Amino acid sequence: MNFRLSEEHEMIRKMVRDFARNEVAPTAAERDEEERFDREIFDKMAELGLTGIPWPEEYGGIGSDYLAYCIAIEELSRVCASTGVTLSAHTSLAGWPIYKFGSEEQKQQYLRPMAEGSKIGGYGLTEPGSGSDAGAMRTTARRDGDHYILNGSKIFITNGGVADIYVVFALTDPSSKQKGTTAFIVESDFPGFSVGKKEKKLGIRSSPTTEIIFEDCKVPVTNRLGEEGDGFKIAMMTLDGGRNGIAAQAVGIAQGALDAAVDYAKERQQFGKPIAANQGIGFKLADMATNIEAARLLTYQAAWLESQGLPYGKESAMSKLFAGDTAMKVTTEAVQVFGGYGYTKDYPVERFMRDAKITQIYEGTQEIQRLVISRMITK
Ligand code: CAA
């Protein structure tokens, strides 16, 4: 057993940390305020190879692994959780199912430009009446010669409106729910595809979240991912890995909040000494750091398991559950350490606290993670 990161992982951490500090952090608060997605940041991530970390070079990636990917998400989220989730949805939710279930042609046509970063990926599963109950979707895909005709809409789509390629789930057999679900690769310029309402959100405000709409949207049969009826399992397996990306995002958010709280607690003088010298604050910081370390270890373990080709679904649900709760707890405490200043936009901790909340909700709520874990340990 060895808990030390490899030289390659340390190198990736350093590269992403420098990039995050120099290119992402300076505009994070402003982009949050303006709810502005910055494609230039994505393009710069592409130049560094971050848009295809786990994919082999033959598909435009850098041929690293899921641990390196999680480290990158963590370092980005440490300064800007929106940038973290942009890359996470792009890689885990759109890239992964194409890498795993796509034909060679689909990988060359779609995974390669996504890995190289000339195209952005998105994932369409959730619908107004189908959130935690993913099997209750209504969007349909009717076969018509060498095309499928998609009708319906998907909501809460991360990278909505900025993505070029979406992995979308629809019913090819509406009478059999999960077993009638099929996955498709949909380009944003296919006829009948449009982007609907953009959500105004509490956090991750510079990551666009929109509705996507299919009105007789024509999708070539060659864009079906896997076979008819494979879609639900593809969706679930995709989320198994995606959840660990969100765990990494949560670890990053929590670490960013702790970094700020430690600096502040050492500087802020009250009653003639730094507030960090009070056990009330020092013990808070100790608990925050301990929880982050535990969340990080769970996250790295799940990433390592996936990279080794070992089962990781349960561990990934556990990492998302624990890291999401840790992010919420740590960021709330960070605001408390800052007192009144923490409640203002003069410091980043209120943004971290707003951003943390979504990690308890998306890619399966904490309640769904518990359902997944309990089913797996009792089956
Ligand atoms: N891997 C492989 N197969 C799986 C699987 C997995 N992880 N999970 C389920 N399956 C299979 C089951 O084995 C079963 O197959 P059989 O019928 O052949 O046995 C089939 O799928 C149906 O499974 P269930 O009976 O367990 O299905 P269910 O309806 O009870 O739902 C659920 C299970 C876990 C609750 C699922 O609905 C779920 O994960 N819900 C949460 C949805 C979610 O996470 N949404 C997030 C949206 S994406 C997002 O948030 C992105 C973003 O913004 C960044």
Side-chain angles (χ1 to χ4, degrees), residues 36-350:
R36 179 168 56 81
F37 174 78
D38 186 347
R39 178 84 191 217
E40 253 182 55
I41 291 180
F42 189 86
D43 293 344
K44 285 181 185 164
M45 291 199 287
E47 277 168 33
L48 294 173
L50 304 185
T51 45
I53 294 174
W55 317 134
E57 286 171 24
E58 61 190 296
Y59 301 125
I62 61 167
S64 192
D65 62 10
Y66 296 102
L67 179 54
Y69 159 68
C70 281
I71 290 169
I73 299 292
E74 178 189 337
E75 289 299 328
L76 293 168
S77 304
R78 196 169 170 177
V79 304
C80 175
S82 294
T83 306
V85 76
T86 298
L87 188 64
S88 180
H90 170 81
T91 310
S92 296
L93 298 185
W96 190 89
I98 298 175
Y99 176 60
K100 227 48 190 187
F101 301 100
S103 63
E104 186 57 30
E105 292 73 30
Q106 288 172 337
K107 286 182 205 174
Q108 290 300 342
Q109 189 179 351
Y110 294 112
L111 184 60
R112 176 178 279 282
M114 279 169 46
E116 289 168 348
S118 59
K119 305 256 190 227
I120 300 183
Y123 176 86
L125 177 69
T126 304
E127 298 182 6
S130 167
S132 290
D133 185 3
M137 75 178 67
R138 305 276 290 273
T139 297
T140 55
R142 177 175 52 80
R143 178 89 185 240
D144 181 19
D146 54 5
H147 282 82
Y148 285 91
I149 309 297
L150 268 61
N151 277 290
S153 73
K154 300 282 176 181
I155 57 165
F156 301 154
I157 306 306
T158 300
N159 295 343
V162 300
D164 310 281
I165 296 162
Y166 296 85
V167 171
V168 169
F169 301 88
L171 295 171
T172 39
D173 178 3
S175 64
S176 49
K177 293 183 71 176
Q178 286 99 328
K179 288 196 167 29
T181 303
T182 303
F184 298 93
I185 304 169
V186 178
E187 295 182 35
S188 59
D189 55 6
F190 279 177
F193 175 93
S194 62
V195 176
K197 179 186 169 214
K198 183 178 177 204
E199 303 296 340
K200 291 184 81 67
K201 308 193 299 291
L202 173 73
I204 54 161
R205 286 160 54 91
S206 63
S207 156
T209 306
T210 72
E211 181 185 18
I212 54 175
I213 302 165
F214 308 93
E215 287 167 309
D216 289 333
C217 176
K218 270 183 89 172
V219 179
V221 169
T222 48
N223 278 39
R224 189 185 66 215
L225 200 50
E227 298 301 321
E228 280 196 12
D230 287 351
F232 193 76
K233 285 189 184 174
I234 293 178
M236 291 299 109
M237 291 170 79
T238 301
L239 287 169
D240 280 343
R243 286 170 181 157
N244 205 43
I246 299 308
Q249 183 201 26
V251 170
I253 295 169
Q255 186 65 54
L258 177 65
D259 295 343
V262 167
D263 286 350
Y264 185 78
K266 289 196 301 192
E267 267 169 31
R268 173 73 172 166
Q269 301 271 335
Q270 289 290 277
F271 304 105
K273 59 181 180 187
I275 60 170
N278 299 317
Q279 282 191 344
I281 299 297
F283 283 13
K284 231 188 247 309
L285 297 174
D287 286 346
M288 290 155 79
T290 305
N291 277 295
I292 294 171
E293 204 52 44
R296 182 177 287 120
L297 285 171
L298 278 175
T299 306
Y300 288 6
Q301 174 190 239
W304 179 83
L305 286 169
E306 185 173 7
S307 299
Q308 298 300 310
L310 296 166
Y312 57 91
K314 180 186 70 187
E315 289 77 6
S316 183
M318 286 175 167
S319 67
K320 151 66 165 107
L321 173 63
F322 190 80
D325 285 354
T326 295
M328 200 61 246
K329 209 165 20 186
V330 166
T331 55
T332 307
E333 288 291 55
V335 171
Q336 192 67 22
V337 169
F338 273 79
Y341 291 109
Y343 203 67
T344 72
K345 289 186 188 287
D346 292 347
Y347 291 93
V349 286
E350 63 82 32

